[in-house]
């Protein structure tokens, strides 16, 4: 009995010593893993596609649309002026004729441009007309949206040349927004299944596996993938898109907590400091909110930040709130770029002291989510957002976001 007690005592002492050794020799990285962060990571890892998809559920939901419709009908601002801007645009025309092609060929910077502009603008038009339908309940808008979507689903077979993945991502981001509104709020669309087949066979294969080009490519492609997945109710594609998103966002927006160098996207091959700095446009000084494309120009950075916001918005509608995972990165990125677009002096340590272009009409969705819903102070982003109202379209994949997301609580 005594021998057994001594043995057990020695065993406990040994275990305690091992535990203390583990605590005091643990790597510094373990100290940085706060319990709350671990809990978020575990929760994020378990999150998956919804068992039941919400429709309409790509970028805008029915409660959001109802909010907008009520504001426009009441003549409230900024929604009424945003609506008037949209309705006066070429995209809302009831005489529009779609220009579908079997093969859309897009080279670098859309040169050559065989159907590239036509496809992107027809997709934006379909979405614009779908919004006009919901707000007015005038069936002519729904029918014109359907006419455009039917024209493309009857013809298109492929996207080719070097910009094919990005082109597919841009058009593929707008199509599901339109299709979701029409299918689930208008209801009479005989060729909706053919449209779904088009998305599955022509668009999804081009975007689902991402890209190791500049980050705005993969983010736009991922936006298209998640929107298509919702329309098709494809849980596998949805999960794959979210996984891509989670790998790409930390590799697109830097936080000081990342360490000396930015994170890299899975499979990027950026395995040395020189490769990473080259990929970040030669920038070697990193600060909260810096984007992988900041030193390229603000416009391409805006594409990336917009797609991040859109993906998170769609996820939130589907019951998978991705905003908490990316809030710090997105708020810093929007704030940093807004600050300099508003005229602050650019330090020499940032892109050699010079930034070019502008973000574009891309701040409403992220600002509404982070500031209005989550209560995050975003002074520079708020100033820029309000200056730009009503935000129009970038004629690629962004359209009418003051109308759809300004101060939208839903």
């Amino acid at each position: 009995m005594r021998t057994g007690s001594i043995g057990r005592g020695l065993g406990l002492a040994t275990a305690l010593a091992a535990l203390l050794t583990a605590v005091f020799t643990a790597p510094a990285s373990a100290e940085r893993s706060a319990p709350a962060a671990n809990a978020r990571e575990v929760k994020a890892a378990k999150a998956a596609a919804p068992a039941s998809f919400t429709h309409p559920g790509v970028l805008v939901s029915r409660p959001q649309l109802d909010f907008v419709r009520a504001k426009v009908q009441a003549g409230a601002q900024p929604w009424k002026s945003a609506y008037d801007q949209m309705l006066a645009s070429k995209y809302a025309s009831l005489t529009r004729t779609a220009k579908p092609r079997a093969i859309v060929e897009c080279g670098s910077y859309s040169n050559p441009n065989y159907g590239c502009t036509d496809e992107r603008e027809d997709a934006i038009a379909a979405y614009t007309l779908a919004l006009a339908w919901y707000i007015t309940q005038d069936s002519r808008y729904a029918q014109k949206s359907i006419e455009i979507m039917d024209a493309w689903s009857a013809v298109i077979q492929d996207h080719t040349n070097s910009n094919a993945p990005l082109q597919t991502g841009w058009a593929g981001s707008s199509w599901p927004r339109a299709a979701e509104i029409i299918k689930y709020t208008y209801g009479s669309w005989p060729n909706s299944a053919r449209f779904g087949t088009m998305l599955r066979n022509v668009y999804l294969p081009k975007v689902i596996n991402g890209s190791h080009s500049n980050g705005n490519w993969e983010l736009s492609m991922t936006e298209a993938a998640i929107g298509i997945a919702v329309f098709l109710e494809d849980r596998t594609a949805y999960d794959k898109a979210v996984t891509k998103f989670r790998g790409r966002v930390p590799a697109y927006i830097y936080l000081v907590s990342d360490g000396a160098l930015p994170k890299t996207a899975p499979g990027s091959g950026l395995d040395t400091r020189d490769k990473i700095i080259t990929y970040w446009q030669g920038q070697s000084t990193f600060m909260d909110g810096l984007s992988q494309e900041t030193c390229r120009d603000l416009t391409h950075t805006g594409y990336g930040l917009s797609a991040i916001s859109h993906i998170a918005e769609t996820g939130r509608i589907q019951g998978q709130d991705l905003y908490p995972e990316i809030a710090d990165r997105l708020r810093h990125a929007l704030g940093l770029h807004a600050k300099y677009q508003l005229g602050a002096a650019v330090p020499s340590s940032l892109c050699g002291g010079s930034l070019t272009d502008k973000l574009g009409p891309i701040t409403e969705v992220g600002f509404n989510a982070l500031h209005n819903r989550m209560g995050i102070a975003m002074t520079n982003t708020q100033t820029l957002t309000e200056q730009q109202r009503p935000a129009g379209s970038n004629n690629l994949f962004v359209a009418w976001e003051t109308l759809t997301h300004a101060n939208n609580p839903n």
Side-chain angles (χ1 to χ4, degrees), residues 3 112 182 192 386:
T3 305
I182 294 299
S192 64
E386 291 175 353

Side-chain angles (χ1 to χ4, degrees), residues 115-131:
C116 316
T117 302
D118 292 340
E119 179 189 30
R120 293 192 306 263
E121 295 195 349
D122 276 349
I124 291 173
Y127 173 54
T128 301
L129 291 156
L131 288 173

Side-chain angles (χ1 to χ4, degrees), residues 57-60 64 127 169-170 173-174 177 219-220 222-224 226-227 230 238 245 302-318 320 322-323 326 330 361-367 369 373 392 394 396-401 404-405:
V58 176
L59 187 60
V60 290
Q64 287 175 323
Y127 173 54
W170 281 340
S173 293
S174 297
R177 297 176 206 159
L219 288 163
S220 289
T222 302
E223 180 185 347
I226 199 168
V230 170
Y238 182 98
F245 177 75
Y303 299 163
L305 300 184
S306 180
I308 289 169
S309 303
H310 294 169
I311 294 162
E313 192 74 2
T314 294
R316 181 179 178 274
I317 293 168
Q318 296 305 324
Q320 182 186 35
L322 298 166
Y323 280 115
I326 62 157
L330 186 57
I362 61 91
T363 61
E364 289 278 14
V365 177
F367 175 70
R373 295 196 198 118
N394 70 355
L396 300 173
F397 70 106
V398 176
W400 324 124
E401 294 181 357
T404 56
H405 287 84

Side-chain angles (χ1 to χ4, degrees), residues 201-248:
N201 294 342
V202 178
Y203 289 82
L204 191 58
K206 277 281 198 299
V207 298
I208 192 62
N209 293 315
S211 161
H212 293 306
S213 183
N214 282 301
N216 82 86
W217 277 50
E218 185 157 81
L219 288 163
S220 289
M221 292 163 70
T222 302
E223 180 185 347
I226 199 168
I228 291 168
V230 170
F231 185 74
L232 297 177
E233 298 196 327
D234 186 330
R235 301 182 79 248
T236 300
Y238 182 98
D239 285 345
K240 189 166 185 177
V242 170
T243 298
K244 282 285 179 189
F245 177 75
R246 286 177 166 148
R248 173 53 76 173

Side-chain angles (χ1 to χ4, degrees), residues 122-153:
D122 276 349
I124 291 173
Y127 173 54
T128 301
L129 291 156
L131 288 173
W133 140 251
Y134 197 88
I135 292 168
T136 65
Q137 297 293 291
D138 183 337
S139 63
R140 293 178 301 165
Y141 292 113
Q143 287 295 328
K144 179 56 72 169
S145 180
I146 289 170
E147 179 186 308
I148 293 169
M149 290 189 284
D150 282 355
W152 279 91
S153 69

